[in-house]
Amino acid sequence: MNEISCTLLVIGAGPGGYVCAIRAGQLGVDTVIVDRDRPGGTCLNVGCIPSKALIHAAEEYGKAVDWAAGRSPLGVSVSAPKLDLGRTVRWKDHIVGRLSNGVAGLLKKAGVKSVQGRARFRDGKTVEVETETGPLVVRAARIVIATGSAPVELPSLPFGGPVISSTEALALTGLPATLAVVGGGYIGLELGTAFARMGAKVTIVETAERILPLYDAELTRPVAKRLKELGVTVMTGAAAKGLSATGDALVVAAADGERRIAAARVLVTVGRKPVTEGFGLEEIDLDRAGRFIHVDDQCRTSMRGVYAIGDVTGEPMLAHRAMAQGEMVAEIVAGRRRRWDKRAIPAVCFTDPEIVSAGLSPDEARAAGREVRVGQFPFAANGRAMTKLAEDGFVRVVARADNDLVLGIQAVGHGVSELSAAFGLALEMGARLEDVAGTIHAHPTQGEAFQEAALKALGHPLHI
């Protein structure tokens, strides 16, 4: 049996794992990374990147449909558009391939040894990897667990046949005439909206009383309005019970009784779970926080020399959180002093319109005992939004009433995901309302709404 030794072994080549390995390699740490699939993990291969490609394709096709129907105030008209979903998927796969190959190249450039195979712990210092050429034993002074997460399967709707997860949804080469989406969170709404814009008849089934229940209601109203415009049926306070006997409909328990929803495909998006099985974690018996691996502010587990990062450590399950943790752990292993002390991790929902939330909402700040100032500026008063036919939505700033320290920033609107960096920067640097209001924002941009929201909170907005 072949054996190798290293200073750092990273298990999982998703966003957290590959960033950790690259940074460790840059710092001169002898690093090995193991994954059974190609670099990039769920996010790059079957999650963030391919879903955004599909969403963009759907937006472009939706525009063409509107133009063909004479619904363009811009004066643009086209003949009847057609969608070749197979070609769209090939374009999406090309992007994924380029990025995955890019990650592999970055790992090589940093001097990281990549091993493809399934890793399994023998003990806290030793991992056995099943590779195509046979077992490989890796002995490491430090180990990072970055195994990510996987879609949650419902007992009444096991994956297979017409019941699919987001992974299969992103690989469809034919548009389903009818699609039932179980789960009204961000994954279900992102993909459901995309398929609706492509021409599918979409029904969303959510057990809570409204869609996107983890976001405050004011942010979700423009999204609900747009779903209605797209012809998407939204059933809230309803639970999916399973497929009909014929397999072509979803049976739903609603307030008015049991209903059958026509569905050529049923997309289940009820959350994700940490991938902790199949890696021999029982051999090292780490402390858990519910389903997740418990870590401290340096991402150390309960076993000396073993770290965990990303989705396997809990919420929020976001790629950029995993990346930040991976970079931090790499620097700790290299001997630098670091700890996890983030004021805010922006969350983005790529719906139509998009939602961004960083820090505390007004209700969360008040629940924490804060007296707050809230400033909100509508995109209907923003010149750039008008020129983009994107007047729905707003930017909102939440600050302490006593010293104007910014506690949270939220936005809903077309393209607001690109404002997330500015929101996160303001919170990380401890900005006050005066700092945001006093920063010169380029005109005309949607970012001006951030400045105007701060001015509104201070009591002297200029453009409303």
Side-chain angles (χ1 to χ4, degrees), residues 6 8-14 16-22 24 31-35 112-113 115 119 140 142-146 309:
C6 61
L8 177 65
L9 170 64
V10 181
I11 302 174
Y18 81 68
V19 165
C20 182
I22 289 170
T31 305
V32 174
I33 189 167
V34 177
D35 200 304
V112 177
K113 178 177 176 58
V115 177
R142 301 285 188 273
I143 298 177
V144 176
I145 301 169
I309 60 175

Side-chain angles (χ1 to χ4, degrees), residues 3-4 25 27 36 65 75 183 190 308 312 322 357 378-379 400 443 449 453:
E3 292 190 12
I4 60 174
L27 293 169
R36 61 179 177 174
V65 170
E190 287 180 2
V312 78
S357 182
F379 282 121
R400 285 177 51 163
H443 175 77

Side-chain angles (χ1 to χ4, degrees), residues 81-161:
K82 295 181 180 179
L83 175 68
D84 182 345
L85 188 55
R87 186 174 178 183
T88 304
V89 169
R90 289 194 295 275
W91 167 74
K92 176 263 295 181
D93 290 343
H94 177 66
I95 292 173
V96 170
R98 285 174 57 196
L99 289 171
S100 182
N101 290 337
V103 171
L106 291 171
L107 288 166
K108 185 177 181 180
K109 180 181 177 181
V112 177
K113 178 177 176 58
S114 297
V115 177
Q116 187 167 18
R118 181 79 174 195
R120 187 175 182 84
F121 277 94
R122 283 186 175 181
D123 55 46
K125 300 289 185 183
T126 312
V127 170
E128 183 176 327
V129 184
E130 287 296 331
T131 73
E132 289 184 353
T133 58
L136 171 69
V137 174
V138 184
R139 302 189 188 279
R142 301 285 188 273
I143 298 177
V144 176
I145 301 169
T147 49
S149 62
V152 171
E153 186 177 54
L154 290 174
S156 60
L157 287 167
F159 295 133

Side-chain angles (χ1 to χ4, degrees), residues 8 23 61 77-78 254 273 286 314 320-322 336:
L8 177 65
R23 184 62 183 134
Y61 178 69
S77 61
V78 299
K273 61 183 178 181
L286 302 177
H320 41 286
R321 170 179 175 264
R336 300 191 177 189

Side-chain angles (χ1 to χ4, degrees), residues 219-406:
L219 290 171
T220 64
R221 287 191 192 103
V223 177
K225 175 187 173 185
R226 182 60 177 147
L227 288 171
K228 186 175 181 179
E229 292 171 352
L230 290 171
V232 175
T233 300
V234 178
M235 298 177 63
T236 55
K241 297 181 65 177
L243 289 177
S244 63
T246 53
D248 60 354
L250 176 69
V251 180
V252 177
D256 57 354
E258 191 171 281
R259 296 174 60 182
R260 290 164 53 92
I261 309 299
R265 298 278 185 171
V266 177
L267 171 59
V268 177
T269 59
V270 293
R272 297 183 65 83
K273 61 183 178 181
V275 177
T276 55
E277 297 180 358
F279 292 91
L281 293 183
E282 64 275 6
E283 298 296 331
I284 54 177
D285 193 27
L286 302 177
D287 288 351
R288 301 293 181 97
R291 299 179 300 170
F292 303 101
I293 296 175
H294 174 75
V295 293
D296 65 8
D297 63 0
Q298 292 185 313
C299 288
R300 296 177 296 188
T301 70
S302 56
M303 174 168 280
R304 184 181 179 88
V306 178
Y307 300 79
I309 60 175
D311 288 4
V312 78
T313 65
E315 297 288 353
M317 290 187 179
L318 298 170
H320 41 286
R321 170 179 175 264
M323 290 176 170
Q325 288 179 324
E327 181 187 14
M328 178 191 73
V329 169
E331 297 200 352
I332 290 171
V333 171
R336 300 191 177 189
R337 296 183 64 181
R338 291 286 303 275
R339 68 188 181 92
W340 185 253
D341 182 23
K342 292 293 176 186
R343 289 179 180 267
I345 304 173
V348 181
C349 187
F350 291 86
T351 44
D352 180 11
E354 296 175 347
I355 297 175
V356 176
S357 182
L360 301 178
S361 70
D363 288 345
E364 289 170 337
R366 293 182 184 111
R370 301 288 190 188
E371 291 187 21
V372 297
R373 297 175 185 259
V374 179
Q376 185 166 306
F377 187 82
F379 282 121
N382 176 266
R384 181 58 176 148
M386 291 179 186
T387 65
K388 295 171 66 177
L389 301 177
E391 297 182 35
D392 282 347
F394 57 85
V395 175
R396 183 177 67 198
V397 179
V398 183
R400 285 177 51 163
D402 58 348
N403 62 8
D404 294 341
L405 179 70
V406 177

